[in-house]
Amino acid sequence: MKRFCFALLVLFGAMNRLAAEPRLTANQIDFMSWGFGMFVHFNLGTVVDNDWAGGYEDTGLFHPNHLDCGEWADAAKAAGMKYMVLTVKHTEGIVLYPSVVTDRDTRLFRNFRNRRGDIVADFMAACRSRGLKAGLYYCMPGDYSDAAHHNAPPPGKPNLHGMPPEAAGDFAAFAERQLTEMLTRYHPDLLWVDQYANRYTGSRWPEVLAAIRKAAPDCIVVANNARALGPTDVLSYEFPWKGDLPPIGNGEPAEVCDTIQTGARWFWRRSNAPGDLRPAAEIVSRLKQCEARHANYLLDVPPDPDGLISGPQLERLREVAKLLGR
């Protein structure tokens, strides 16, 4: 009888814990099966040797003459990756598609496809044709331009805070319009939002998130470095920043982002020495740690200025695939 009562107590305790936990959606459960993904940092930062492009750099430097999103997707698939995430707007404030809400877009790239390029459309098509899930990255405003970031605004020019000039005065409202445009035009599986809790729009994140939900109800939202579900669909760990992982025994949707390059470098840099890239064995070990903690592992493998994943970065990814037996 005592054993029976004890079993009932255990059962009721488990039921209460389940009732207290937020219910996961089908999309969150599906996300947990993606496992391994490729982060693709590609924008103005690719050609100015700076992860923190401020928006005043020479946009004529961006001319990826051999851009091939299909090559990126093939490299990801060969490594056993199931999804990709592209930096549509980083700290330079320029989106990688022709926009109707701003002219801070691919039309600024005067040496690329006669100012008519749509890299996001190319990226989505490459992912879809290869059966990969597709994610789009968007950076919210912040303090990205100063002497410390080596990109202080020119004399007399305003600090853009990572947004187009017309966003000044109401960054959150502009972000809602731009995100709605992105989501309704390209229909990604995932939206990856950086700096969601920044000091300019952080207090209005629930409002921005509501606009995202309205535009794309089925899209998974990753709010970078959010550690509780609600503001995000996925617990997020930016490994190069804090060096931490989800706890052992984690059962919630989670993702760890990392980069194949050392020095916490996300955009492409020329690899001149072995220490410029992380060892393949270290990358595989981190992937297996994530798998053990039920977290996806999103590895940044940045394309070069010509628009290809190439050279040592590509070779290192192939080494990773070989160690994984893929």
Side-chain angles (χ1 to χ4, degrees), residues 90-213:
H90 204 257
T91 58
E92 74 297 302
I94 300 172
V95 291
L96 296 180
Y97 65 90
S99 174
V100 297
V101 300
T102 179
D103 57 7
R104 296 280 294 177
D105 59 17
T106 47
R107 289 170 291 183
L108 290 179
F109 300 141
R110 61 184 180 275
N111 295 319
F112 175 61
R113 296 183 181 174
N114 297 317
R115 302 180 186 261
R116 296 189 180 92
D118 189 336
I119 298 172
V120 178
D122 293 348
F123 172 79
M124 293 297 300
C127 290
R128 297 297 186 225
S129 65
R130 289 157 177 82
L132 296 168
K133 298 288 188 180
L136 302 180
Y137 165 111
Y138 187 90
C139 188
M140 295 295 283
D143 297 316
Y144 314 124
S145 302
D146 51 37
H149 290 94
H150 308 289
N151 63 2
K157 297 289 186 178
N159 189 325
L160 298 173
H161 296 290
M163 302 292 281
E166 56 266 41
D170 198 340
F171 288 141
F174 181 87
E176 289 176 29
R177 293 196 301 274
Q178 197 161 53
L179 286 165
T180 297
E181 177 185 58
M182 279 174 47
L183 294 168
T184 55
R185 183 183 298 185
Y186 298 106
H187 308 287
D189 303 292
L190 179 148
L191 177 67
W192 211 98
V193 181
D194 207 354
Q195 306 291 337
Y196 84 100
N198 72 86
R199 69 190 185 99
Y200 296 101
T201 64
S203 63
R204 295 176 64 184
W205 175 243
E207 171 192 326
V208 176
L209 184 58
I212 293 169
R213 301 286 193 215

Side-chain angles (χ1 to χ4, degrees), residues 33-83:
S33 72
W34 296 3
F36 193 19
M38 180 186 284
F39 217 169
V40 181
H41 277 68
F42 187 65
N43 207 306
L44 196 55
T46 303
V47 297
V48 299
D49 193 27
N50 191 345
D51 276 359
W52 305 86
Y56 287 110
E57 295 83 358
D58 181 5
T59 55
L61 296 172
F62 187 88
H63 50 86
N65 295 325
H66 297 285
L67 175 66
D68 187 352
C69 296
E71 187 251 6
W72 308 350
D74 288 338
K77 194 153 180 105
M81 294 167 164
K82 294 184 178 180
Y83 70 112

Side-chain angles (χ1 to χ4, degrees), residues 302-315:
D304 64 24
D306 221 20
L308 299 171
I309 295 176
S310 65
Q313 284 86 346
L314 179 59
E315 289 306 313

Side-chain angles (χ1 to χ4, degrees), residues 261-281:
Q261 301 177 142
T262 56
R265 280 297 297 264
W266 297 93
F267 283 90
W268 181 88
R269 69 174 178 190
R270 190 173 302 280
S271 179
N272 297 315
D276 291 338
L277 298 176
R278 299 198 11 252

